[in-house]
Amino acid sequence: MANKEDNRISGVTNCILGATAGCGATVIVQPVDLIKTRMQTQGEKKIYKSSIDCFRKVITKEGILGIYTGLDAALLRQLTYTGGRFGTYKYLEETYKNQYGTKPGYASRLFMGMIAGAVGSFLGTPTEIILIRMTADGRLPIEEQRNYRNVFHAFKRIIQEEGALTLFRGAAPTINRGIIVNMVQLGTYYQTKEFLTENLNIPESRFLHFCCGLLCGFLSAFVTAPMDFAKTRIQDMATVTDKPLYKGTVDVIYKVTRREGFLTVYTGFMPYFLRIGPRNVFTFMFLEELTNLYLNYLK
């Protein structure tokens, strides 16, 4: 096995490896992501009683392939968001090593994760807008459904009907969430793995990658669930001439907790965690495997 510490991987390659790993994980967790979105966007009129009820109704109404609605948008999002954040993080980590001649500490890794999250989230906002709308469409009455045929059709219609800037609606809460998510995910994953391998002499293995990915997935889900809820509500708002229903993340959380109760901002937490947890695990495991394959056979 190649020693990754003694090999340099270019920034473009890191972006490609990260994007590919993210796409692999997305194919697995897309059904859970769709259920999470449906649960969060149903509003005060509760269409679904639970995540299981949501899953059952989607299958009954839209067929088995209904749980993969928006997959093309989800994959495109991984090419921009995950590729951008992994590429940025690895670039910052490599720059730190070259400048200081040592590995970054935990605080530095957290800061790198914040920057990587901001970059990746900004790049991924347009595709996330489309993903939210496509996965939420099935809960609307037929006359209100947007009926995007695919991600490219969605791009075209949004630009024509609502303007190009609509593709960046909710960019601020998306970036804010991305900063915190990646601070926890990237910083914690690499720091935990380094601690376990270097201080407790636990060898590199798939099981190690699994445990580190699951840990940072749970932490990031708990911290960011309310922000993810707010982001989803903002991105799902219809364009109207009147004043927008929500002004921002804080406004969403305030209005929702006042009208629907505090725990509403944790609506869909279980599918949210089940999306982030497995997504983290699969993404990091795929990334480690892809990195090893690249170093051993392609570099």
Side-chain angles (χ1 to χ4, degrees):
M1 180 177 291
N3 184 346
K4 289 179 281 187
E5 294 297 333
D6 296 334
N7 288 273
R8 297 288 183 266
I9 300 178
S10 70
V12 173
T13 301
N14 275 317
C15 287
I16 294 173
L17 292 174
T20 305
C23 287
T26 292
V27 171
I28 297 173
V29 303
Q30 175 66 10
V32 178
D33 198 16
L34 179 135
I35 292 171
K36 185 270 299 183
T37 301
R38 294 283 179 90
M39 292 286 291
Q40 287 184 338
T41 57
Q42 62 182 329
E44 296 180 53
K45 182 180 178 181
K46 303 299 182 183
I47 303 173
Y48 310 114
K49 299 176 182 178
S50 64
S51 299
I52 295 176
D53 182 55
C54 178
F55 182 82
R56 180 181 62 81
K57 287 180 178 177
V58 170
I59 295 293
T60 302
K61 182 180 177 182
E62 303 169 47
I64 188 65
L65 293 180
I67 60 175
Y68 275 98
T69 299
L71 179 60
D72 53 345
L75 293 176
L76 186 57
R77 177 178 179 270
Q78 293 305 310
L79 296 179
T80 52
Y81 169 66
T82 302
R85 68 188 178 114
F86 273 113
T88 300
Y89 181 87
K90 286 296 186 180
Y91 170 79
L92 293 173
E93 187 178 54
E94 199 61 42
T95 300
Y96 185 99
K97 291 177 183 177
N98 291 336
Q99 183 169 349
Y100 298 103
T102 185
K103 297 176 183 177
Y106 188 39
S108 297
R109 282 196 164 108
L110 292 178
F111 184 67
M112 292 174 190
M114 293 172 66
I115 297 175
V119 172
S121 296
F122 177 77
L123 295 175
T125 295
T127 49
E128 185 156 2
I129 288 277
I130 294 171
L131 173 61
I132 291 292
R133 291 189 174 192
M134 291 180 73
T135 54
D137 210 32
R139 69 167 177 86
L140 298 171
I142 295 177
E143 64 274 10
E144 296 180 21
Q145 291 181 5
R146 297 180 174 99
N147 295 315
Y148 299 139
R149 292 194 296 270
N150 53 56
V151 63
F152 302 107
H153 180 238
F155 266 114
K156 179 180 178 181
R157 277 190 51 192
I158 289 174
I159 293 173
Q160 288 180 342
E161 298 171 8
E162 305 175 57
L165 289 180
T166 302
L167 291 169
F168 286 92
R169 175 184 291 166
T174 299
I175 292 172
N176 290 338
R177 171 184 166 275
I179 287 172
I180 297 176
V181 166
N182 286 280
M183 176 183 70
V184 176
Q185 283 184 357
L186 298 177
T188 300
Y189 178 84
Y190 288 108
Q191 187 67 25
T192 301
K193 190 179 78 164
E194 180 181 297
F195 175 82
L196 293 175
T197 55
E198 296 186 1
N199 294 279
L200 300 184
N201 296 318
I202 296 177
E204 283 269 1
S205 66
R206 293 188 179 97
F207 180 72
L208 174 66
H209 304 154
F210 172 86
C211 292
C212 293
L214 190 60
L215 171 63
C216 62
F218 176 79
L219 292 176
S220 60
F222 180 78
V223 171
T224 63
M227 288 181 290
D228 183 75
F229 177 90
K231 173 189 67 67
T232 302
R233 282 284 180 97
I234 290 172
Q235 290 182 331
D236 191 54
M237 282 192 304
T239 299
V240 293
T241 56
D242 298 332
K243 190 170 153 182
L245 179 60
Y246 304 118
K247 298 177 183 177
T249 301
V250 175
D251 189 48
V252 172
I253 294 174
Y254 171 73
K255 287 180 178 177
V256 168
T257 53
R258 192 178 70 171
R259 296 172 183 171
E260 305 173 45
F262 174 74
L263 292 180
T264 302
V265 296
Y266 277 94
T267 298
F269 176 77
M270 186 53 65
Y272 180 57
F273 167 66
L274 290 177
R275 179 190 63 137
I276 284 188
R279 183 188 292 277
N280 258 344
V281 170
F282 289 123
T283 298
F284 281 112
M285 291 185 74
F286 286 155
L287 181 61
E288 297 282 4
E289 294 297 323
L290 288 168
T291 300
N292 278 326
L293 287 173
Y294 174 77
L295 292 175
N296 284 326
Y297 299 108
L298 298 177
K299 189 171 175 63

